[in-house]
Amino acid sequence: MEGEGKVISNPDDEVREILAEFMVGVIKFEELVEVGRKSLIRFQQALEFLRHPSIYESSELVKNILKMNETMRVTAYIEAGCINAYDSTQSVVQMNTSLCNLQDCLTKANDIINNLENLMDKAGNALCMNSDDQLETELQGSEQEVTSPEKLDAANCASFMAVIYSMVKQDYTMQEKIVSSLNFKSSSDELESYRIMWTLRPFVDDDVVHQALAQVK
């Protein structure tokens, strides 16, 4: 029968190749995280600018200067919250642009996560396609590779993918919740907490990621 007796490639090598492709996706996700972080900071800065007057009116010196220059222009400026119309408009534009950039990052990140899931499934299928007997035969022919502590076998590579996928997925979910919570009423404390959590990435263990990268270099 056609295909009978066909030798399947070493599952260790096959799954390591899948892991290498998987880690390329993880690196792309990491790059998007940094882009998103910068956009979140720009949103935070723009909103804080709108909230805080550019003139410190409680200063006695400032009070005296304003009192000596009670022109219609100065009065209108103070009534507007000490922010001129142009600066206010620019801040709103920056906020909207930042939100759009964050949404774009999430869209691209979601595509990456879907691809990571597909690669993880591919690795699982590669393991299942090799029976225990066949796997044992192949490993006997490459004893040095198996005993080498520098390289993981197929099962461990697949485990790495499962763990990293879980971390990345949780990181993405956190980012998604942060972006959906952003609006003109977001408090300063909220924004600062979001920025810290986005940077800290509590669900991601960098050591695990670095260990996986070391396997595909």
Side-chain angles (χ1 to χ4, degrees):
M1 181 180 295
E2 184 178 354
E4 185 175 353
K6 180 180 178 181
V7 178
I8 300 176
S9 61
N10 187 313
D12 291 348
D13 292 337
E14 184 178 356
V15 178
R16 267 197 292 269
E17 288 182 4
I18 298 173
L19 175 62
E21 186 178 354
F22 181 91
M23 294 312 297
V24 170
V26 172
I27 291 173
K28 290 180 179 178
F29 181 86
E30 300 275 340
E31 293 171 349
L32 285 174
V33 171
E34 178 60 17
V35 173
R37 185 187 70 83
K38 292 178 179 178
S39 295
L40 179 59
I41 290 175
R42 284 193 289 269
F43 179 92
Q44 179 184 18
Q45 291 172 338
L47 185 52
E48 292 298 341
F49 178 82
L50 288 174
R51 286 177 173 156
H52 296 293
S54 55
I55 293 181
Y56 184 52
E57 293 185 77
S58 61
S59 167
E60 290 299 323
L61 175 59
V62 172
K63 285 182 179 179
N64 289 333
I65 294 174
L66 293 176
K67 187 175 181 180
M68 293 171 62
N69 293 274
E70 291 181 343
T71 62
M72 183 178 296
R73 177 170 174 269
V74 173
T75 301
Y77 183 71
I78 294 175
E79 289 177 350
C82 299
I83 300 177
N84 63 50
Y86 175 79
D87 289 339
S88 178
T89 300
Q90 289 299 106
S91 293
V92 173
V93 170
Q94 181 173 318
M95 290 175 64
N96 288 330
T97 300
S98 298
L99 278 176
C100 289
N101 290 339
L102 285 165
Q103 291 288 356
D104 183 58
C105 283
L106 287 178
T107 298
K108 293 177 179 177
N110 188 54
D111 290 340
I112 290 174
I113 288 174
N114 289 336
N115 187 50
L116 294 181
E117 185 175 6
N118 290 335
L119 289 171
M120 192 169 58
D121 291 342
K122 184 178 178 181
N125 291 334
L127 288 173
C128 292
M129 287 175 62
N130 293 275
S131 66
D132 292 340
D133 292 340
Q134 183 179 20
L135 181 58
E136 182 179 356
T137 300
E138 291 172 351
L139 293 180
Q140 286 175 350
S142 55
E143 183 177 354
Q144 174 140 12
E145 182 182 23
V146 175
T147 58
S148 172
E150 297 179 357
K151 287 187 177 182
L152 296 176
D153 60 18
N156 284 323
C157 285
S159 295
F160 255 124
M161 281 185 270
V163 171
I164 293 174
Y165 173 80
S166 177
M167 294 191 301
V168 170
K169 179 68 173 180
Q170 290 180 83
D171 196 34
Y172 169 79
T173 301
M174 180 192 72
Q175 294 168 16
E176 192 176 37
K177 289 179 179 178
I178 288 175
V179 174
S180 65
S181 299
L182 296 177
N183 57 67
F184 284 80
K185 295 181 180 180
S186 297
S187 70
S188 298
D189 289 340
E190 280 181 304
L191 291 173
E192 183 60 14
S193 295
Y194 293 158
R195 183 195 65 78
I196 292 174
M197 296 305 290
W198 194 292
T199 303
L200 184 61
R201 305 183 69 196
F203 301 106
V204 177
D205 187 333
D206 289 335
D207 288 340
V208 174
V209 175
H210 292 157
Q211 289 174 35
L213 286 171
Q215 291 295 320
V216 298
K217 287 183 179 179

